[in-house]
Amino acid sequence: MAGTGVDMTAARPHSSGQVYALYGHLDPTALSLDDAFARGLSWHQIPTDALMALDTGHPTLVRATLERLARSGEPLIGAVGFDDWWNTALSVMNPGWALAPARALVIDKPGLYARLREHEVDVAQFLVGAVSTVFLREARDTLGPRPILKPATGAGSRGVYRYRDDLDLDANLALYHQILRQGHVDSRTPIIAAAYLGEDDAAREISVDLVIGDHAIRAATVHEKRTATAVHPFVDNLMISPPTDHVITAALDELPPVLSRTAAAIALEAGVLHVELRLHHGCWHVLDIGVRPGMGLVAHSALARTGIDPRLVHLAATLGARLDPAALLAARGAHAATAIMCSYVAASQRPQVRLDRYGELAARLRDEVTVFGWHLNVAEVDDPMYRPDAGLSVGLGAPDIATALIRLRSLLDPYQLTTDTDTTTESVVAQ
């Protein structure tokens, strides 16, 4: 789950590029990043300025940057990215990069939707055009009162906006320009407007992380998006796996053929797909696809449920390395159910936020064996212009979802943490 700071904390160094230079060697029998690191693999996050140089593709800049990233005694074997960007840099560092065509497809939204339709995968009706009052009017009149807007060349949640039918065209246009600016998206970028598939009372949204090997799906982890905000920024406050919503579970038998056709459309021999889907009028519609694992604790949840780390599978596919099929087949998850929660300090408790108090929580999380990952963001400053806050992303496993949620609440309730993002100055987005 990636954070978008507003006024509380500064961005972490190099946080805009989740790309890592890889050194040593990859043991094909490893099933997780930790296993791989223990058996001879290491990595170093590539600074943003180095990524910018690599992304130019200019021979002089590339040569100097590769020399900068070289390490004596450790061979540089490639690089891996865990977001949707820096594809030129990754192609430079991974000659013959097998993921390049798929990555190029998924950030071409019109091309992606056309390819999915060719493979009989349902997608929303859409238009493509330049940001303008004329385009917004056409989108609203053609696609319904609340179309979804997103950059046609983008991926993830940057620049995504649901048209607000309580505002006029000019106000929507002004707000969307600000959202594009905040996401560092050029306003001249073509925009895709898609029909909002949420008018149906039975509409539900899920994400699925697919592990693919030899052109076949080897594992699939389905997360139900239990709670989410309705307007930008879109925030998933609680995700569970497997789903328990009766509308979703009634439609799960229809999901495997949709996922198979989706994987065929992307034509990936090996790697990971993160697929966002919405159930609309009884049919699964693909909303978006990333050729990578889900962000943040989503990958940890998949590992906890399947015993296979999708981050490692993605890394191996990036290098063109083949993981041991027998090891993958023998993998078993540690938990039958998982839950991921994004929570925040309640507004009434902000004056009591102190590092020592949340140090106590950190100790509890470390001692809880069912917790498979957490991230605590705490800031403290004696300045009335800053509001103290703390945001916690935490994931844990259990025999069933009910038990997982009880365990989460028992950990978080004593610290007055809430999932109400209206009380926060920081948003956490799960993708």
Side-chain angles (χ1 to χ4, degrees):
M1 300 175 185
T4 305
V6 178
D7 64 358
M8 186 182 72
T9 57
R12 288 176 294 169
H14 317 313
S15 62
S16 63
Q18 295 180 309
V19 181
Y20 299 83
L22 301 169
Y23 303 89
H25 69 274
L26 174 62
D27 186 327
T29 64
L31 288 175
S32 70
L33 283 180
D34 286 344
D35 288 345
F37 292 147
R39 301 179 191 182
L41 183 72
S42 63
W43 72 11
H44 174 72
Q45 188 166 359
I46 302 176
T48 302
D49 64 325
L51 285 173
M52 292 171 61
L54 291 169
D55 224 41
T56 67
H58 191 282
T60 301
L61 295 171
V62 168
R63 183 170 56 254
T65 304
L66 291 179
E67 290 174 357
R68 172 183 172 185
L69 295 174
R71 289 183 167 188
S72 60
E74 282 188 296
L76 177 62
I77 60 175
V80 61
F82 290 99
D83 59 14
D84 303 289
W85 314 103
W86 304 112
N87 290 321
T88 300
L90 286 163
S91 292
V92 166
M93 297 198 68
N94 300 292
W97 190 31
L99 301 187
R103 298 264 290 195
L105 175 63
V106 300
I107 61 171
D108 170 15
K109 291 296 181 257
L112 172 63
Y113 288 173
R115 178 76 64 82
L116 290 170
R117 284 178 171 172
E118 290 172 2
H119 284 75
E120 300 181 339
V121 177
D122 288 322
V123 297
Q125 183 183 0
F126 67 93
L127 301 171
V128 182
V131 180
S132 67
T133 303
V134 172
F135 178 67
L136 292 188
R137 181 182 291 110
E138 182 183 7
R140 184 194 61 189
D141 295 345
T142 304
L143 304 173
R146 294 193 291 166
I148 299 292
L149 307 175
K150 63 177 72 176
T153 57
S157 63
R158 284 199 282 182
V160 178
Y161 173 65
R162 183 183 301 155
Y163 187 96
R164 288 179 52 179
D165 55 1
D166 61 321
L167 300 176
D168 62 22
L169 280 167
D170 288 338
N172 271 285
L173 181 62
L175 185 55
Y176 191 48
H177 272 300
Q178 290 295 334
I179 288 170
L180 291 175
R181 187 174 295 113
Q182 183 189 45
H184 304 289
V185 178
D186 191 328
S187 61
R188 296 168 295 181
T189 301
I191 298 298
I192 187 167
Y196 172 55
L197 304 178
E199 308 300 342
D200 178 8
D201 287 341
R204 300 291 192 277
E205 191 166 325
I206 63 172
S207 70
V208 186
D209 278 60
L210 301 177
V211 170
I212 296 173
D214 298 323
H215 295 286
I217 296 173
R218 302 303 180 188
T221 306
V222 181
H223 283 96
E224 173 189 338
K225 298 186 176 187
R226 180 65 71 87
T227 61
T229 56
V231 297
H232 176 87
F234 299 107
V235 178
D236 300 315
N237 296 325
L238 175 61
M239 300 176 70
I240 61 173
S241 183
T244 60
D245 182 282
H246 71 281
V247 175
I248 294 176
T249 57
L252 284 180
D253 287 345
E254 307 300 322
L255 187 58
V258 174
L259 296 175
S260 293
R261 292 195 295 269
T262 299
I266 304 302
L268 201 66
E269 179 179 352
V272 177
L273 295 180
H274 178 74
V275 187
E276 304 275 347
L277 305 102
R278 184 173 280 262
L279 185 64
H280 180 61
H281 294 323
C283 297
W284 291 107
H285 290 65
V286 170
L287 303 177
D288 210 347
I289 300 174
V291 183
R292 55 165 175 80
M295 302 293 278
L297 295 179
V298 172
H300 297 74
S301 175
L303 171 59
R305 291 215 59 217
T306 67
I308 301 172
D309 190 339
R311 298 169 302 167
L312 179 66
V313 174
H314 176 63
L315 184 152
T318 297
L319 292 176
R322 191 167 187 260
L323 294 176
D324 184 357
L328 294 175
L329 186 64
R332 295 292 182 271
H335 299 286
T338 57
I340 303 169
M341 181 178 285
C342 299
S343 53
Y344 310 87
V345 176
S348 63
Q349 297 298 318
R350 279 205 176 103
Q352 284 74 50
V353 173
R354 293 293 182 269
L355 290 176
D356 55 353
R357 177 165 175 75
Y358 288 92
E360 174 189 319
L361 172 58
R364 289 193 63 191
L365 293 171
R366 289 193 194 98
D367 292 340
E368 176 52 64
V369 294
T370 62
V371 171
F372 53 75
W374 57 274
H375 173 259
L376 179 63
N377 190 15
V378 182
E380 183 173 348
V381 60
D382 292 326
D383 187 332
M385 293 182 65
Y386 290 85
R387 298 199 307 170
D389 197 7
L392 173 70
S393 299
V394 59
L396 56 73
D400 53 69
I401 292 299
T403 303
L405 296 179
I406 290 171
R407 287 175 176 172
L408 271 174
R409 290 266 48 108
S410 68
L411 284 169
L412 304 184
D413 281 351
Y415 299 90
Q416 293 77 44
L417 289 159
T418 175
T419 56
D420 182 2
T421 55
D422 289 338
T423 66
T424 71
T425 58
E426 177 158 309
S427 300
V428 178
V429 182
Q431 304 181 359

